[in-house]
Amino acid sequence: MTRSNPTRIAVALLAAGALLSSAGCGLSGGGSDDAKQSVRTGEVAGRITFRTLQLKPAFTAYVQGVIDAFEKQYPQAEVVWEDVPGDGYNEKLVADAQAGALPDVVNLSTDSFQLLGDRGMLADVADVAELDGALAKEYVPGAWEQFKLPGRGDSVYAYPWYVTPEILTYNRELFEKAGLDPDRPPTSVEQFFDCAERIAAASGGRYSAFMADPKGRLPGDWQKMGVPILSEKQDRFTFDTDKAVEWVERMKDLYAKGAMPKESLLKSDDINQLYGSGKIVFGPGSPGFVKDIKQNAPQIYAKTQVAGAVTGKLGHIGIYAQSLGIRKDTEHLDAAAEFAKWVTNGPNQVGFSRKATIYPSNAQGLADPFFSDKGDGKDAETLARAVGADQLKTAALDANTPVQWTNQVGDAVVREMQKAIQGEQDPRTAVRKAQEAANKLLAAAAEK
């Protein structure tokens, strides 16, 4: 899926700043593969620390209520909650990891989980919780799988927490002005580009179709077009294909025709503001974005239509998941494991989702009527919640960004794409050079 949409809008502040780059973060000291994993004693007791990202003050009452209920259930356990601001979160997590001072239970994104998991700093929760395959299947497809690591078998290094699905949002009025049927939105990347071309031709430069944002669009667009991102052994990138070149060619052509804001190729503009002022047709694929537009741009909200996400050849969507990892050498493994399971159980996940525009990773939680109610089908926010929940039923691991596609890899690929889209090099050369750069980074990571 594209990382540019659900996680960076509105309640995306829950996850903002949690995207850790491994660039320049060679960790030494503290946790390592040599650290022994703590063992359970059967006694849920002791003082543990729990770190979240930017949940105060909006969700203070909810989180504290979950903690209080846990401590009532397990009176010998004490949870010390620390909430970290988005600014500097990456640096703090890396510094704590270097110093061997990670919290017992820590909120992680798929990226930050990999950073710590690769270096042996997280407990194998599949082993700790003695979870079997049947219980793993209770999660949304792909959620449990996201927290495995290549070459580590069935080990899982974090409990799935809340997830954000991908949907399609667009300005119905502008869609119609381009001669497009708002009740027949695009379902493939190729159709999406076709719509963008029609919009660019009809807009006369007054508005654009979508944001260029190649870092957010890749590798999701390529996956949806059937481009093989990795080899079967997942040890090298294989996206240098005719289809990937076709994507670059279409992006270059659409960019030249004004289908995207020129500045959106090189930097991240405020898409909320652009969409809310009627300057762009396709908004971020996020239920949280719809809520934000309802509050801040009611006139545009009245014109907003919601549909299932573009899926293309994959036929299903990716998900962006947050998780709870456990420090590998925590002194109170029982308390940490039981607390992480407590926070991520079905009822608590549903409770959180009722207060924020997020979804449970727990399939039983998703079955709550709150997520299936479409109302009269006219209110975009209500419809977005139901569409998002329905999309999660077909979410799968192969639609998610592979863990090998690190921030470093993404940056290397994007540099070549930007040059090609601007006409500074031909698309085929750009894809070839991008794959070469990505494989050098992958090989270097494997040698560490």
Side-chain angles (χ1 to χ4, degrees):
M1 79 180 257
T2 59
R3 287 178 176 160
S4 61
N5 39 33
T7 60
R8 296 176 184 173
I9 311 296
V11 181
L13 288 176
L14 300 175
L19 302 177
L20 280 107
S21 170
S22 55
C25 296
L27 304 184
S28 60
S32 72
D33 285 321
D34 295 330
K36 291 184 179 180
Q37 181 165 301
S38 302
V39 295
R40 300 193 69 158
T41 64
E43 184 179 5
V44 181
R47 189 172 187 262
I48 59 172
T49 53
F50 172 45
R51 178 180 296 171
T52 58
L53 174 63
Q54 208 160 314
L55 296 188
K56 292 181 179 180
F59 305 102
T60 297
Y62 166 76
V63 176
Q64 191 59 56
V66 171
I67 292 172
D68 291 345
F70 176 78
E71 292 179 337
K72 183 176 181 180
Q73 179 73 19
Y74 299 101
Q76 300 305 310
E78 178 186 359
V79 179
V80 178
W81 175 29
E82 59 179 52
D83 189 66
V84 181
D87 292 341
Y89 181 78
N90 297 4
E91 292 80 0
K92 181 172 177 56
L93 185 59
V94 170
D96 286 347
Q98 289 175 321
L102 283 175
D104 299 286
V105 180
V106 59
N107 182 187
L108 301 170
S109 69
T110 48
D111 294 327
S112 53
F113 129 82
Q114 184 197 2
L115 175 64
L116 299 182
D118 275 347
R119 289 162 175 78
M121 298 176 182
L122 299 175
D124 176 2
V125 301
D127 176 58
V128 169
E130 299 178 348
L131 297 177
D132 57 26
L135 185 55
K137 291 178 182 178
E138 291 184 8
Y139 289 91
V140 170
W144 185 252
E145 298 294 320
Q146 278 206 54
F147 299 104
K148 293 183 177 181
L149 290 169
R152 304 288 183 93
D154 291 328
S155 295
V156 180
Y157 294 92
Y159 291 90
W161 194 6
Y162 58 89
V163 297
T164 313
E166 188 179 2
I167 63 173
L168 190 68
T169 60
Y170 53 104
N171 185 310
R172 181 178 63 252
E173 181 178 272
L174 297 181
F175 207 72
E176 286 181 307
K177 283 185 176 181
L180 298 166
D181 184 350
D183 295 322
R184 297 182 62 187
T187 59
S188 69
V189 175
E190 293 86 349
Q191 290 176 6
F192 183 86
F193 286 161
D194 289 343
C195 289
E197 188 164 5
R198 294 275 295 274
I199 291 166
S203 72
R206 295 184 301 277
Y207 49 87
S208 302
F210 67 102
M211 305 291 278
D213 188 24
K215 185 167 187 179
R217 302 199 66 83
L218 295 177
D221 276 7
W222 283 350
Q223 291 169 307
K224 294 170 183 177
M225 294 174 72
V227 174
I229 305 301
L230 288 163
S231 65
E232 187 173 340
K233 292 183 179 180
Q234 297 192 336
D235 59 351
R236 61 187 177 87
F237 288 103
T238 57
F239 54 76
D240 184 1
T241 63
D242 289 344
K243 269 293 180 183
V245 174
E246 177 188 323
W247 181 89
V248 185
E249 291 172 339
R250 289 300 303 271
M251 287 284 287
K252 177 183 177 182
D253 181 59
L254 289 168
Y255 186 72
K257 291 178 177 177
M260 317 162 217
K262 295 295 184 183
E263 60 275 12
S264 69
L265 179 62
L266 301 176
K267 65 185 183 71
S268 298
D269 284 347
D270 186 347
I271 188 170
N272 286 39
Q273 184 178 4
L274 288 172
Y275 184 89
S277 59
K279 297 296 184 182
I280 197 165
V281 176
F282 289 102
S286 164
F289 163 75
V290 178
K291 182 177 182 179
D292 181 80
I293 291 299
K294 183 177 183 178
Q295 294 174 342
N296 299 314
Q299 290 182 328
I300 297 298
Y301 176 78
K303 303 172 184 178
T304 296
Q305 189 142 331
V306 175
V310 168
T311 57
K313 292 186 177 181
L314 281 176
H316 49 245
I317 65 166
I319 57 176
Y320 188 90
Q322 290 284 306
S323 65
L324 293 182
I326 298 175
R327 177 176 168 164
K328 186 176 183 179
D329 58 354
T330 175
E331 294 181 5
H332 304 291
L333 183 59
D334 294 80
E338 290 305 318
F339 180 68
K341 289 193 327 186
W342 181 273
V343 174
T344 60
N345 69 29
N348 281 330
Q349 287 204 38
V350 171
F352 198 5
S353 300
R354 286 180 175 272
K355 298 179 181 298
T357 312
I358 53 176
Y359 295 76
S361 62
N362 183 287
Q364 292 179 337
L366 258 187
D368 190 286
F370 175 72
F371 299 103
S372 59
D373 181 16
K374 295 183 179 180
D376 60 5
K378 296 179 181 179
D379 179 66
E381 183 184 8
T382 302
L383 189 59
R385 182 170 57 243
V387 168
D390 190 59
Q391 292 270 283
L392 283 171
K393 297 175 183 177
T394 58
L397 182 62
D398 62 353
N400 293 318
T401 299
V403 293
Q404 293 88 341
W405 190 285
T406 61
N407 283 342
Q408 285 179 296
V409 168
D411 289 342
V413 172
V414 166
R415 280 193 292 271
E416 303 304 329
M417 298 304 105
Q418 288 170 335
K419 294 175 187 176
I421 292 169
Q422 292 181 108
E424 296 177 3
Q425 69 178 343
D426 70 272
R428 191 166 294 278
T429 299
V431 174
R432 174 180 56 79
K433 291 174 68 175
Q435 181 171 292
E436 289 173 353
N439 277 325
K440 284 182 181 178
L441 289 166
L442 187 60
E447 293 174 359
K448 290 181 179 180

